[in-house]
Amino acid sequence: YKFGISHNSEKRLFEEDKLKMRISNSMLYFQLAYAIFRENEIISIEVGKYADFIVIDMDIFNIDPIDIEKTNVLMTFFDGRIVYESKN
């Protein structure tokens, strides 16, 4: 058994693994922001905070984990501005 992959032949995320994945992602991002002393400026989308995030073409919490690597970035926002937009 690997984190996020079930024993069944479809290899779908278990519901509890989806929650673990969301929590671990949130914790990772907060720890990274904390490490660079920016936890009050980034991490959440709020008025007065920097908006650095990506828009992707798949819901990574509802697809086969094997397919996450096939995800494409559609847009990238940095400091609240679009810095990348896919041609597709």
Side-chain angles (χ1 to χ4, degrees):
Y1 180 80
K2 291 184 179 178
F3 175 76
I5 301 176
S6 68
H7 290 284
N8 67 25
S9 60
E10 295 180 32
K11 294 186 179 176
R12 299 285 176 198
L13 287 174
F14 285 124
E15 289 301 316
E16 62 270 14
D17 284 342
K18 289 181 188 179
L19 180 59
K20 289 177 189 174
M21 189 170 156
R22 288 179 195 271
I23 291 169
S24 64
N25 282 341
S26 295
M27 289 174 52
L28 172 66
Y29 296 134
F30 181 79
Q31 289 171 350
L32 291 171
Y34 186 79
I36 61 171
F37 307 103
R38 295 190 65 201
E39 69 275 11
N40 294 320
E41 300 171 26
I42 59 177
I43 297 303
S44 59
I45 299 175
E46 298 177 45
V47 174
K49 289 191 174 186
Y50 293 99
D52 300 346
F53 62 94
I54 62 170
V55 178
I56 55 178
D57 65 348
M58 292 187 218
D59 181 352
I60 62 170
F61 298 104
N62 289 309
I63 62 173
D64 189 322
I66 303 301
D67 292 331
I68 291 175
E69 68 181 35
K70 297 174 186 170
T71 301
N72 296 301
V73 175
L74 301 176
M75 299 174 84
T76 301
F77 288 80
F78 181 74
D79 282 345
R81 294 173 292 132
I82 299 172
V83 296
Y84 170 78
E85 193 166 0
S86 172
K87 305 268 189 247
N88 298 332

